[in-house]
Coordinates of all heavy atoms in Angstrom, one line a residue:
N515 N 17.4 91.0 64.5 CA 17.0 90.0 63.5 C 18.2 89.3 62.9 O 19.3 89.9 62.7 CB 16.1 90.6 62.4 CG 14.8 91.1 62.9 OD1 14.2 90.5 63.8 ND2 14.4 92.2 62.4
G516 N 18.0 88.1 62.5 CA 19.2 87.3 61.9 C 18.6 86.1 61.1 O 17.4 86.1 60.7
T517 N 19.4 85.2 60.9 CA 19.0 84.0 60.2 C 19.5 82.8 60.9 O 20.6 82.8 61.6 CB 19.5 84.0 58.7 OG1 21.0 84.0 58.8 CG2 19.0 85.1 57.9
T518 N 18.8 81.7 60.7 CA 19.2 80.4 61.2 C 19.4 79.5 60.0 O 18.7 79.6 59.0 CB 18.2 79.7 62.1 OG1 17.0 79.6 61.4 CG2 18.0 80.6 63.4
S519 N 20.5 78.7 60.1 CA 20.8 77.9 59.0 C 21.0 76.5 59.5 O 21.7 76.2 60.5 CB 22.1 78.3 58.2 OG 23.2 78.3 59.1
E520 N 20.3 75.5 58.9 CA 20.3 74.1 59.3 C 20.9 73.3 58.2 O 20.5 73.3 57.1 CB 18.9 73.7 59.7 CG 18.8 72.3 60.2 CD 17.4 71.9 60.5 OE1 16.5 72.7 60.3 OE2 17.2 70.8 61.0
S521 N 21.8 72.4 58.6 CA 22.4 71.5 57.6 C 21.5 70.2 57.7 O 21.4 69.5 58.7 CB 23.8 71.1 58.0 OG 24.4 70.2 57.1
I522 N 20.9 69.9 56.5 CA 20.0 68.8 56.4 C 20.6 67.8 55.4 O 21.3 68.2 54.5 CB 18.6 69.2 56.1 CG1 18.6 69.8 54.7 CG2 18.0 70.0 57.1 CD1 17.2 70.1 54.2
Q523 N 20.2 66.6 55.5 CA 20.6 65.5 54.5 C 19.7 65.5 53.4 O 18.5 65.5 53.6 CB 20.7 64.1 55.2 CG 21.8 63.9 56.1 CD 22.0 62.5 56.6 OE1 21.0 61.8 56.8 NE2 23.2 62.1 56.8
I524 N 20.2 65.6 52.2 CA 19.3 65.6 51.0 C 19.9 64.5 50.0 O 21.0 64.0 50.1 CB 19.4 66.9 50.2 CG1 20.9 67.3 49.8 CG2 18.9 68.0 51.1 CD1 21.0 68.5 48.9
L525 N 19.0 64.1 49.1 CA 19.3 63.2 48.1 C 19.9 64.0 46.9 O 19.3 64.9 46.4 CB 18.1 62.3 47.6 CG 17.5 61.4 48.6 CD1 16.3 60.8 48.1 CD2 18.5 60.3 49.0
H526 N 21.1 63.6 46.4 CA 21.7 64.3 45.4 C 21.8 63.4 44.2 O 22.5 62.3 44.3 CB 23.1 64.8 45.8 CG 23.8 65.6 44.8 ND1 23.2 66.7 44.1 CD2 25.1 65.5 44.3 CE1 24.1 67.1 43.3 NE2 25.2 66.5 43.3
C527 N 21.2 63.8 43.1 CA 21.4 63.0 41.8 C 22.5 63.6 41.0 O 22.5 64.8 40.6 CB 20.0 63.1 41.1 SG 20.1 62.2 39.4
H528 N 23.5 62.7 40.7 CA 24.6 63.2 39.9 C 24.3 63.0 38.4 O 24.1 61.9 37.9 CB 25.8 62.4 40.3 CG 26.2 62.4 41.7 ND1 27.0 63.5 42.2 CD2 25.9 61.7 42.8 CE1 27.2 63.3 43.5 NE2 26.5 62.2 43.9
R529 N 24.2 64.1 37.7 CA 23.7 64.1 36.4 C 24.6 63.4 35.4 O 24.1 62.7 34.5 CB 23.6 65.6 35.9 CG 22.7 66.5 36.7 CD 21.2 66.0 36.5 NE 20.3 66.8 37.3 CZ 19.0 66.5 37.4 NH1 18.5 65.5 36.7 NH2 18.2 67.3 38.2
G530 N 25.9 63.4 35.6 CA 26.8 62.6 34.8 C 26.6 61.1 34.9 O 26.4 60.4 33.8
W531 N 26.5 60.6 36.1 CA 26.3 59.2 36.3 C 24.9 58.9 35.8 O 24.6 57.7 35.4 CB 26.5 58.8 37.7 CG 27.9 58.8 38.2 CD1 28.5 59.6 39.0 CD2 28.9 57.9 37.7 NE1 29.8 59.3 39.2 CE2 30.1 58.3 38.4 CE3 28.9 56.8 36.8 CZ2 31.3 57.6 38.2 CZ3 30.1 56.2 36.6 CH2 31.3 56.5 37.3
L532 N 23.9 59.8 36.0 CA 22.5 59.5 35.6 C 22.5 59.3 34.0 O 21.9 58.4 33.5 CB 21.6 60.6 35.9 CG 20.2 60.6 35.4 CD1 19.4 59.4 36.0 CD2 19.4 61.9 35.8
A533 N 23.3 60.1 33.3 CA 23.3 60.0 31.8 C 23.9 58.7 31.4 O 23.4 58.0 30.6 CB 24.1 61.2 31.2
V534 N 25.0 58.2 32.2 CA 25.6 56.9 31.8 C 24.6 55.8 32.1 O 24.5 54.8 31.3 CB 26.9 56.7 32.6 CG1 27.5 55.4 32.5 CG2 27.9 57.8 32.2
L535 N 23.9 55.9 33.3 CA 23.0 54.8 33.6 C 21.8 54.7 32.6 O 21.5 53.6 32.2 CB 22.4 55.1 35.0 CG 21.4 54.1 35.6 CD1 22.0 52.7 35.7 CD2 20.8 54.5 36.9
M536 N 21.3 55.9 32.2 CA 20.2 55.8 31.3 C 20.7 55.3 29.9 O 19.9 54.6 29.3 CB 19.6 57.3 31.2 CG 19.0 57.8 32.5 SD 17.7 56.7 33.2 CE 16.4 57.1 32.1
L537 N 21.8 55.7 29.5 CA 22.3 55.3 28.2 C 22.5 53.8 28.2 O 22.1 53.1 27.3 CB 23.6 56.0 27.9 CG 24.4 55.5 26.6 CD1 23.5 55.8 25.4 CD2 25.7 56.3 26.5
A538 N 23.2 53.3 29.2 CA 23.5 51.8 29.3 C 22.2 51.0 29.4 O 22.0 50.0 28.8 CB 24.4 51.5 30.5
S539 N 21.3 51.5 30.2 CA 20.0 50.8 30.4 C 19.2 50.8 29.2 O 18.5 49.8 28.8 CB 19.2 51.4 31.6 OG 20.0 51.4 32.7
L540 N 19.1 51.9 28.5 CA 18.3 52.0 27.2 C 19.0 51.1 26.2 O 18.3 50.5 25.4 CB 18.3 53.5 26.8 CG 17.3 54.4 27.5 CD1 17.5 55.8 27.0 CD2 15.9 53.9 27.3
L541 N 20.3 51.1 26.1 CA 21.0 50.2 25.1 C 20.7 48.8 25.4 O 20.4 48.0 24.5 CB 22.5 50.5 25.2 CG 23.3 49.7 24.2 CD1 24.5 50.6 23.9 CD2 23.9 48.4 24.7
L542 N 20.6 48.4 26.7 CA 20.3 47.0 27.1 C 18.8 46.7 26.7 O 18.5 45.6 26.1 CB 20.5 46.8 28.5 CG 21.9 46.6 29.0 CD1 21.9 46.2 30.5 CD2 22.5 45.4 28.3
F543 N 17.9 47.7 26.9 CA 16.5 47.5 26.6 C 16.3 47.2 25.1 O 15.7 46.3 24.7 CB 15.8 48.7 27.1 CG 14.3 48.6 26.7 CD1 13.4 47.8 27.4 CD2 13.7 49.4 25.7 CE1 12.1 47.7 27.0 CE2 12.4 49.4 25.4 CZ 11.6 48.5 26.1
F544 N 17.0 48.1 24.3 CA 16.8 47.9 22.8 C 17.6 46.7 22.4 O 17.2 46.1 21.4 CB 17.3 49.2 22.1 CG 16.4 50.4 22.3 CD1 16.8 51.5 23.0 CD2 15.1 50.3 21.8 CE1 15.9 52.6 23.1 CE2 14.2 51.4 22.0 CZ 14.7 52.6 22.6
A545 N 18.7 46.3 23.0 CA 19.4 45.1 22.6 C 18.5 43.9 22.9 O 18.5 42.9 22.1 CB 20.7 45.0 23.4
G546 N 17.7 44.0 24.0 CA 16.9 42.9 24.4 C 15.7 42.8 23.4 O 15.3 41.7 22.9
L547 N 15.1 43.9 22.9 CA 14.1 43.9 21.9 C 14.6 43.5 20.6 O 13.9 42.7 19.8 CB 13.5 45.4 21.8 CG 12.7 45.9 23.0 CD1 12.2 47.3 22.7 CD2 11.5 45.0 23.3
A548 N 15.9 43.8 20.3 CA 16.5 43.4 19.0 C 16.7 41.9 19.0 O 16.5 41.2 17.9 CB 17.8 44.1 18.8
G549 N 17.0 41.4 20.2 CA 17.2 39.9 20.2 C 15.9 39.2 20.0 O 15.8 38.2 19.4
L550 N 14.8 39.8 20.5 CA 13.5 39.2 20.3 C 13.1 39.2 18.8 O 12.7 38.2 18.3 CB 12.5 40.0 21.1 CG 11.0 39.5 21.2 CD1 10.3 40.0 22.5 CD2 10.1 39.9 19.9
V551 N 13.3 40.3 18.2 CA 13.0 40.4 16.7 C 13.9 39.5 15.9 O 13.4 38.8 15.0 CB 13.2 41.9 16.3 CG1 13.0 42.0 14.8 CG2 12.2 42.8 17.0
L552 N 15.2 39.5 16.2 CA 16.1 38.6 15.5 C 15.7 37.1 15.7 O 15.9 36.3 14.7 CB 17.5 38.8 16.0 CG 18.2 40.1 15.6 CD1 19.6 40.2 16.3 CD2 18.3 40.2 14.1
G553 N 15.2 36.7 16.8 CA 14.8 35.4 17.0 C 13.5 35.0 16.2 O 13.4 33.9 15.8
L554 N 12.7 36.1 15.9 CA 11.6 35.8 15.0 C 11.9 35.8 13.6 O 11.3 35.0 12.8 CB 10.5 36.9 15.3 CG 9.9 36.9 16.7 CD1 9.0 38.1 16.9 CD2 9.2 35.6 17.0
V555 N 12.8 36.6 13.1 CA 13.1 36.7 11.6 C 14.1 35.6 11.2 O 14.3 35.4 10.0 CB 13.6 38.1 11.3 CG1 12.6 39.1 11.7 CG2 15.0 38.4 12.0
C556 N 14.8 35.1 12.2 CA 15.9 34.1 11.8 C 15.2 32.7 11.6 O 14.6 32.2 12.6 CB 17.0 34.0 12.8 SG 18.3 32.9 12.4
D557 N 15.3 32.1 10.4 CA 14.7 30.8 10.2 C 15.6 29.6 10.6 O 15.0 28.6 10.9 CB 14.4 30.7 8.7 CG 13.3 31.7 8.3 OD1 12.5 32.1 9.1 OD2 13.4 32.2 7.1
A558 N 16.8 29.8 10.6 CA 17.7 28.7 10.9 C 17.6 28.3 12.4 O 17.4 29.1 13.3 CB 19.2 29.1 10.6
P559 N 17.8 27.0 12.7 CA 17.8 26.6 14.1 C 19.0 27.1 14.8 O 20.1 27.4 14.2 CB 17.8 25.1 14.0 CG 18.4 24.8 12.7 CD 18.0 25.9 11.8
E560 N 18.9 27.3 16.1 CA 20.0 27.8 16.9 C 21.0 26.6 17.2 O 20.6 25.6 17.7 CB 19.5 28.3 18.3 CG 18.7 29.6 18.2 CD 18.4 30.2 19.5 OE1 19.3 30.0 20.5 OE2 17.4 30.8 19.7
I561 N 22.2 26.8 16.7 CA 23.2 25.7 16.9 C 24.4 26.2 17.7 O 25.2 25.3 18.1 CB 23.7 25.2 15.5 CG1 24.3 26.3 14.7 CG2 22.5 24.6 14.7 CD1 24.9 25.8 13.4
F562 N 24.6 27.5 17.8 CA 25.8 28.0 18.5 C 25.7 27.8 20.0 O 24.7 27.8 20.6 CB 26.0 29.5 18.2 CG 26.3 29.7 16.7 CD1 25.6 30.7 16.0 CD2 27.3 29.1 16.0 CE1 25.8 30.9 14.7 CE2 27.6 29.3 14.7 CZ 26.8 30.2 14.0
T563 N 26.9 27.5 20.5 CA 27.2 27.4 21.9 C 26.5 26.2 22.6 O 26.3 26.0 23.7 CB 26.6 28.6 22.7 OG1 25.2 28.7 22.8 CG2 27.2 29.9 22.2
F564 N 26.0 25.2 21.8 CA 25.5 24.0 22.2 C 26.4 22.8 21.9 O 26.8 22.6 20.7 CB 24.1 23.7 21.7 CG 23.1 24.7 22.2 CD1 22.7 25.8 21.5 CD2 22.5 24.5 23.4 CE1 21.8 26.7 21.9 CE2 21.6 25.4 23.9 CZ 21.2 26.5 23.2
A565 N 26.8 22.0 22.8 CA 27.7 20.8 22.6 C 27.0 19.8 21.6 O 27.7 19.1 20.8 CB 28.1 20.2 23.9
S566 N 25.7 19.8 21.7 CA 24.9 18.8 20.8 C 25.1 19.2 19.4 O 24.9 18.3 18.5 CB 23.5 18.9 21.2 OG 22.9 20.1 21.0
S567 N 25.5 20.4 19.1 CA 25.7 20.8 17.7 C 26.8 20.1 17.0 O 27.0 20.0 15.8 CB 25.9 22.3 17.5 OG 24.7 23.0 18.0
L568 N 27.8 19.5 17.9 CA 28.9 18.8 17.4 C 28.5 17.5 16.8 O 29.3 16.8 16.1 CB 29.9 18.6 18.5 CG 30.6 19.9 19.1 CD1 31.4 19.6 20.3 CD2 31.3 20.6 18.0
T569 N 27.3 17.0 17.1 CA 26.8 15.7 16.5 C 26.2 15.9 15.2 O 25.8 14.9 14.6 CB 25.9 15.1 17.5 OG1 24.6 15.9 17.6 CG2 26.4 15.0 18.9
R570 N 26.0 17.1 14.7 CA 25.4 17.3 13.4 C 26.2 16.7 12.2 O 27.4 17.1 12.1 CB 25.1 18.8 13.1 CG 23.9 19.4 14.0 CD 23.7 20.8 13.6 NE 22.6 21.4 14.3 CZ 21.3 21.2 13.8 NH1 21.1 20.7 12.6 NH2 20.3 21.7 14.5
D571 N 25.6 15.8 11.5 CA 26.3 15.3 10.3 C 27.7 14.7 10.6 O 28.6 14.9 9.8 CB 26.4 16.3 9.2 CG 25.0 16.9 8.8 OD1 24.1 16.0 8.7 OD2 24.9 18.1 8.6
N572 N 27.9 14.2 11.8 CA 29.1 13.7 12.2 C 29.2 12.2 11.9 O 28.4 11.4 12.3 CB 29.3 13.9 13.8 CG 30.7 13.6 14.2 OD1 31.4 12.7 13.7 ND2 31.2 14.4 15.2
P573 N 30.2 11.8 11.0 CA 30.3 10.4 10.6 C 30.7 9.5 11.7 O 30.5 8.2 11.6 CB 31.3 10.4 9.5 CG 32.2 11.6 9.8 CD 31.2 12.6 10.4
H574 N 31.2 10.0 12.8 CA 31.6 9.1 13.9 C 30.6 9.0 15.0 O 30.8 8.5 16.1 CB 32.9 9.7 14.5 CG 34.0 9.9 13.5 ND1 34.7 8.8 12.9 CD2 34.5 11.0 13.0 CE1 35.5 9.3 12.0 NE2 35.5 10.6 12.1
I575 N 29.4 9.6 14.7 CA 28.3 9.5 15.7 C 27.1 9.0 14.9 O 26.6 9.7 14.0 CB 28.0 10.8 16.4 CG1 29.2 11.3 17.2 CG2 26.8 10.6 17.3 CD1 29.0 12.6 17.9
S576 N 26.6 7.8 15.1 CA 25.4 7.3 14.4 C 24.1 7.7 15.0 O 23.9 7.3 16.2 CB 25.5 5.7 14.3 OG 26.7 5.3 13.7
L577 N 23.4 8.5 14.4 CA 22.1 9.0 14.8 C 21.0 8.6 13.9 O 21.3 8.4 12.7 CB 22.1 10.5 15.0 CG 23.1 11.1 16.1 CD1 23.0 12.6 16.1 CD2 22.7 10.6 17.5
P578 N 19.8 8.6 14.3 CA 18.7 8.3 13.5 C 18.6 9.4 12.4 O 19.1 10.6 12.7 CB 17.5 8.3 14.3 CG 18.0 8.0 15.7 CD 19.4 8.6 15.8
P579 N 18.1 9.2 11.3 CA 17.9 10.2 10.3 C 17.0 11.3 10.8 O 16.1 11.1 11.7 CB 17.4 9.5 9.1 CG 16.7 8.3 9.6 CD 17.5 7.9 10.8
G580 N 17.1 12.5 10.2 CA 16.2 13.6 10.6 C 16.9 14.4 11.7 O 18.0 14.3 12.0
G581 N 16.1 15.3 12.2 CA 16.7 16.2 13.3 C 17.5 17.4 12.9 O 18.0 18.1 13.8
S582 N 17.6 17.6 11.6 CA 18.3 18.8 11.2 C 17.7 20.1 11.6 O 18.3 21.2 11.6 CB 18.6 18.8 9.7 OG 17.4 18.8 9.0
T583 N 16.4 20.0 11.8 CA 15.6 21.3 12.1 C 15.6 21.6 13.7 O 15.0 22.6 14.0 CB 14.1 21.2 11.6 OG1 13.5 20.1 12.3 CG2 14.1 21.0 10.1
L584 N 16.2 20.7 14.4 CA 16.1 20.9 15.9 C 17.0 22.1 16.3 O 18.1 22.3 15.9 CB 16.6 19.7 16.6 CG 15.7 18.4 16.5 CD1 16.4 17.2 17.2 CD2 14.3 18.8 17.2
D585 N 16.4 23.0 17.1 CA 17.2 24.0 17.8 C 18.1 23.4 18.8 O 18.0 22.3 19.2 CB 16.3 25.0 18.5 CG 15.6 26.0 17.5 OD1 16.2 26.3 16.5 OD2 14.5 26.4 17.8
G586 N 19.1 24.2 19.2 CA 20.2 23.8 20.1 C 19.5 23.2 21.4 O 19.9 22.1 21.8
P587 N 18.6 23.9 22.1 CA 18.0 23.3 23.3 C 17.3 22.1 23.1 O 17.4 21.1 24.0 CB 17.1 24.5 23.8 CG 17.6 25.7 23.1 CD 18.2 25.3 21.8
D588 N 16.5 21.9 22.0 CA 15.8 20.7 21.7 C 16.7 19.5 21.5 O 16.5 18.4 22.0 CB 14.8 20.9 20.6 CG 13.8 21.9 20.9 OD1 13.4 22.1 22.1 OD2 13.3 22.6 19.9
R589 N 17.8 19.8 20.7 CA 18.7 18.7 20.4 C 19.5 18.3 21.6 O 19.8 17.1 21.8 CB 19.7 19.2 19.2 CG 20.5 18.1 18.6 CD 21.4 18.7 17.5 NE 22.1 17.6 16.8 CZ 21.6 17.0 15.8 NH1 20.5 17.4 15.3 NH2 22.3 16.1 15.1
A590 N 19.9 19.2 22.4 CA 20.6 18.9 23.6 C 19.8 18.1 24.6 O 20.3 17.2 25.3 CB 21.1 20.2 24.3
R591 N 18.5 18.4 24.7 CA 17.6 17.6 25.5 C 17.4 16.2 25.1 O 17.4 15.3 25.9 CB 16.3 18.4 25.6 CG 15.3 17.8 26.6 CD 14.1 18.6 26.8 NE 13.3 18.9 25.6 CZ 13.4 20.0 24.9 NH1 14.1 21.0 25.4 NH2 12.7 20.1 23.8
L592 N 17.3 16.0 23.8 CA 17.2 14.6 23.3 C 18.5 13.8 23.3 O 18.4 12.6 23.5 CB 16.7 14.8 21.8 CG 15.3 15.3 21.6 CD1 15.0 15.5 20.1 CD2 14.3 14.5 22.2
L593 N 19.6 14.5 23.3 CA 20.9 13.8 23.2 C 21.6 13.8 24.6 O 22.9 13.6 24.6 CB 21.8 14.4 22.1 CG 21.3 14.2 20.7 CD1 22.3 14.8 19.8 CD2 21.0 12.7 20.3

Side-chain angles (χ1 to χ4, degrees):
N515 294 324
T517 59
T518 59
S519 58
E520 180 180 6
S521 180
I522 61 174
Q523 288 188 325
I524 62 170
L525 295 175
H526 181 52
C527 177
H528 300 274
R529 300 295 178 179
W531 288 113
L532 175 63
V534 173
L535 176 63
M536 299 301 286
L537 174 64
S539 301
L540 285 174
L541 187 146
L542 282 183
F543 177 71
F544 288 115
L547 291 181
L550 187 154
V551 175
L552 290 173
L554 294 176
V555 301
C556 185
D557 295 327
E560 292 188 31
I561 62 173
F562 295 128
T563 72
F564 292 97
S566 61
S567 297
L568 298 174
T569 66
R570 285 182 175 273
D571 303 318
N572 191 324
H574 305 292
I575 301 176
S576 299
L577 295 176
S582 65
T583 61
L584 289 174
D585 283 328
D588 296 331
R589 191 179 188 89
R591 186 170 58 254
L592 293 172
L593 299 179

